[in-house]
Every structure is written in structure tokens, then in C-alpha cells.
């Protein structure tokens, strides 16, 4: 046998060895990552859901997917264990690198009373408001009302439908 005829088989066997070695290495790393989970850790499932680990069992893990909502998942369903900074950035939108000043954040009132205080402060009747009110009272006494007729276009629609009926009956527009 010639070495040239054996060379393709040797290359093929070497490539298969390298591929299986890297796959086993990835599996070992994933298993180590899943074993490093502990309560309070943020995770991403293989389905793309972000959750917090509450309990870790032999084959399952209890995840809090929303406040007060817990679900059991297989450990193999955990795709990544996230560090706290990354989990808070993705889930809560908190960027630890960003300096946030208290003066820059808007203040949200607890009730509606603070929203009406500004309107109450500016409630002083101006002379223009008093004049408008006096005109309205005079109009009411005189019997004038600002009632406008609203044209809904019913007459035009009725005329259009009759002209369409005439055309169907043999009447034509062209002469």
C-alpha cells in the first residue's frame, strides 16, 4: 500500500477526532456552568426567557420568571448563566456604567393632587374670561343659541343611489 492512498483516510480520521474533541469540551463547559447555578443567579433559558434561580435540584431548577411566578425547568433547558450586571442590564434596563443623577430623573407623583395644584394656582379669573362668561349669559337671555345643523350627506347619498338605479334600468348618461 502506498502512503498516498492512505493520506485521505488519515486526514478524515484526524478531522473527526478534532470535531468530537471540541464538542465534548463544549458539553463539559455547559455542564460546569449548570452546576455553578445557585439561588439568586440570573439565567437565560434555551427558549430565550430570562429568569432568576430560586432552587436547584439534581435534574431540575425552580425559576422565578416574573415576580411571584415560579416554574420548574430541566437543568438542560438553561442556556446561559448570566452575571448580575448583564442580567440587570437586560431585564431591568439598569446600566451600572451609567451615572444617574437624582435631578435628571423625572418625579412621578403618587396621586393626582399634585397635578391639580398648578391648575388651582392659575385659577384666577382674568378679565377676558369674565367677558366671555358675560357674553354667554347675554346670549342665553336673548334666546340666541349656537346650534348648528350638521349635514351628514344623506341627501347626496340618496340622490346617488337613485341615479345608480336608473342606470341599471336602462337609463344612460350618454346621449
Amino acid at each position: 500500500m502506498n502512503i498516498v492512498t492512505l493520506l485521505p483516510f488519515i486526514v478524515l480520521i484526524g478531522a473527526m477526532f478534532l470535531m468530537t474533541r471540541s464538542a465534548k469540551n463544549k458539553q463539559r463547559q455547559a455542564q460546569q456552568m449548570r452546576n455553578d447555578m445557585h439561588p439568586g443567579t440570573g439565567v437565560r433559558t434555551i427558549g430565550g426567557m430570562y429568569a432568576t434561580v430560586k432552587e436547584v435540584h439534581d435534574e431540575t431548577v425552580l425559576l422565578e420568571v416574573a415576580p411571584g411566578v415560579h416554574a420548574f425547568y430541566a437543568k438542560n433547558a438553561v442556556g446561559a448563566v448570566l452575571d448580575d450586571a448583564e442580567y440587570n442590564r437586560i431585564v431591568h434596563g439598569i446600566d451600572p456604567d451609567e451615572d444617574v443623577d437624582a435631578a435628571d430623573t423625572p418625579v412621578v407623583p403618587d396621586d393626582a393632587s399634585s397635578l391639580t395644584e398648578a391648575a388651582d394656582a392659575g385659577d384666577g379669573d382674568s378679565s377676558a374670561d369674565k367677558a366671555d362668561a358675560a357674553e354667554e349669559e347675554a346670549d342665553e337671555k336673548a334666546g340666541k343659541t349656537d346650534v348648528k345643523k350638521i349635514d351628514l350627506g344623506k341627501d347626496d347619498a340618496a340622490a346617488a343611489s337613485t341615479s345608480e338605479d336608473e342606470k341599471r334600468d336602462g337609463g344612460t348618461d350618454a346621449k
Side-chain angles (χ1 to χ4, degrees):
M1 287 262 260
N2 193 350
I3 189 79
V4 175
T5 57
L6 292 177
L7 188 60
F9 293 113
I10 293 171
V11 170
L12 183 63
I13 291 172
M16 286 178 22
F17 173 75
L18 291 175
M19 284 190 286
T20 58
R21 183 175 172 212
S22 66
K24 284 182 183 180
N25 193 14
K26 285 183 182 180
Q27 281 181 338
R28 191 176 327 110
Q29 288 175 350
Q31 186 63 32
Q32 182 65 31
M33 173 202 59
R34 290 182 184 115
N35 288 336
D36 290 342
M37 282 189 296
H38 58 279
T41 306
V43 296
R44 181 182 65 237
T45 65
I46 57 174
M49 182 178 58
Y50 292 90
T52 304
V53 176
K54 288 297 177 183
E55 296 176 8
V56 180
H57 303 285
D58 292 336
E59 295 296 319
T60 61
V61 62
L62 180 65
L63 299 179
E64 184 177 33
V65 295
V69 180
H70 298 91
F72 279 102
Y73 279 82
K75 274 190 176 180
N76 291 339
V78 175
V81 177
L82 308 172
D83 59 342
D84 290 338
E86 184 179 8
Y87 181 77
N88 287 331
R89 181 183 58 81
I90 293 170
V91 175
H92 303 295
I94 300 171
D95 192 7
D97 299 335
E98 191 176 294
D99 292 334
V100 179
D101 295 335
D104 293 341
T105 58
V107 177
V108 179
D110 291 338
D111 58 356
S113 64
S114 63
L115 298 175
T116 58
E117 289 173 3
D120 292 342
D123 228 5
D125 288 333
S126 65
S127 59
D129 291 338
K130 290 179 182 177
D132 289 339
E135 285 180 23
E136 288 177 11
E137 287 178 21
D139 287 343
E140 287 176 12
K141 288 179 184 176
K144 294 181 185 176
T145 56
D146 291 336
V147 178
K148 297 179 182 176
K149 290 185 178 180
I150 299 174
D151 183 20
L152 298 176
K154 290 183 179 178
D155 295 334
D156 295 336
S161 66
T162 56
S163 64
E164 290 293 325
D165 291 338
E166 289 174 0
K167 289 180 186 177
R168 289 188 198 133
D169 290 337
T172 60
D173 290 338
K175 295 200 180 192

